[in-house]
Amino acid sequence: MDNVSTVSIFNLLAFNDTVNHRAALFSVTLVCYFAILFLNVTVILIIVLDESLHEPMYILVCVCCINGLYGSTGFYPKFLIDLLSSSQVISYSGCLCQAFVMYSFVCSDTSILAVMAYDRYLAICQPLQYHSVMTKKKLSKLVCYSWLTPFCIFSINIVLTDRLIFCGTDIQRLFCVNWLIVKVACPGMDTLVNSAYAYTTLSIYIFHWIFIVWTYIYLVKSCVQSKKDKAKFMQTCVPHLISLVTFFVIVISDLMHMRFASNDVPQSFLNFVAIAVLFIPPVMNPLLYGFKLTKIRNRILVALHIKRC
């Protein structure tokens, strides 16, 4: 083992299936990335610049869009460069950095969705206590928790991976993820700690989803008993619920395919499942919240009318 030197470059083998379509994929991806930037930045600016939207629900929508930009920027620029390159490689440090961004993006999104569920629970089930509980200070703490907790957790994850020595250089993916990096560690390396930490992290975010389900059970019960609560639920919770279900299905599908997929599954399908979390939520969320939440929609329409005049 002493004679084995750690690798400095990883090969991203999932690009092999894109050889004959790279020009078309580059064009479509570039349009998608610009759409993500435009949609999310538009919603962020509208919420930031309009003081009437400085309420917890809209601030959390803004945070969700910022996180979408964070995750997208960690993937699309490198992906676009790889589509134009003859070889798709990434440096060891770049691979760890990309893995950190991908994981922290997904887990931050989960935490933000959990905070949004808590906010809607308070607004609908405990409306008299809402403003006294969901203060600016409390909201700031929850937003910091949503971002800082994944960053701290995955910083440790990356440190645990960095201590390994690698004998392989091939990653069957369009981008780096920690699980696949650990898989190419040299035989005999102690990866048990990595696996234990990964499952502990997974357990933490499973509890996030349990909390979200519990919250929506109470929300639905409350809305069944009151027409007013039902109207509020349809207006403010349905976009959140659609976002939740979509995000959950995408993440679970990716985890299942990454860990248990058969070799018979086409690589193009695996690639689609892998990048779905980096395309569908960042595009869908600003559209969903922008058109469904009345205040944001009205501000967008006013802005478009002023620009047209």
Side-chain angles (χ1 to χ4, degrees), residues 92-272:
Y92 171 71
S93 58
C95 195
L96 290 181
C97 181
Q98 191 176 57
F100 173 82
V101 172
M102 294 301 103
Y103 278 105
S104 58
F105 156 68
V106 170
C107 290
S108 291
D109 234 23
T110 304
S111 297
I112 292 164
L113 289 170
V115 174
M116 292 174 82
Y118 174 65
D119 174 73
R120 290 300 85 204
Y121 164 76
L122 288 176
I124 293 175
C125 299
Q126 299 182 19
L128 298 179
Q129 302 176 29
Y130 178 72
H131 292 290
S132 61
V133 175
M134 191 58 79
T135 60
K136 289 184 178 180
K137 186 177 181 180
K138 178 77 170 286
L139 181 63
S140 299
K141 288 181 179 179
L142 290 172
V143 170
C144 288
Y145 161 79
S146 301
W147 274 333
L148 295 179
T149 302
F151 287 178
C152 293
I153 288 173
F154 288 105
S155 293
I156 298 172
N157 210 327
I158 295 302
V159 169
L160 290 174
T161 302
D162 190 44
R163 69 189 174 84
L164 302 175
I165 297 175
F166 301 94
C167 293
T169 60
D170 295 338
I171 294 178
Q172 196 68 37
R173 193 82 168 184
L174 294 171
F175 53 89
C176 292
V177 289
N178 194 62
W179 173 257
L180 297 181
I181 299 172
V182 173
K183 282 182 70 175
V184 298
C186 294
M189 292 300 298
D190 180 19
T191 60
L192 185 61
V193 177
N194 296 73
S195 298
Y197 191 79
Y199 284 115
T200 301
T201 303
L202 184 61
S203 300
I204 291 171
Y205 287 96
I206 286 174
F207 278 113
H208 279 62
W209 285 106
I210 292 173
F211 171 77
I212 291 168
V213 171
W214 173 84
T215 301
Y216 266 91
I217 289 173
Y218 274 86
L219 278 169
V220 171
K221 282 183 178 180
S222 175
C223 294
V224 167
Q225 299 169 0
S226 167
K227 288 184 178 181
K228 183 180 178 182
D229 288 342
K230 185 177 180 181
K232 189 182 290 187
F233 181 89
M234 294 301 294
Q235 176 63 33
T236 63
C237 294
V238 168
H240 182 225
L241 196 56
I242 294 171
S243 179
L244 273 170
V245 172
T246 305
F247 187 74
F248 179 78
V249 170
I250 290 171
V251 171
I252 292 300
S253 298
D254 188 29
L255 285 173
M256 293 299 102
H257 281 94
M258 184 167 59
R259 301 207 175 202
F260 308 113
S262 167
N263 292 329
D264 298 329
V265 178
Q267 184 62 50
S268 56
F269 177 75
L270 293 177
N271 288 345
F272 172 77

Side-chain angles (χ1 to χ4, degrees), residues 15 18 21-27 29-30 78-86 88 174:
F15 281 91
T18 67
H21 313 285
R22 285 187 186 168
L25 283 173
F26 178 85
S27 302
T29 303
L30 188 63
K78 176 69 171 70
F79 181 65
L80 289 166
I81 292 170
D82 284 334
L83 287 173
L84 296 178
S85 303
S86 56
Q88 290 72 41
L174 294 171

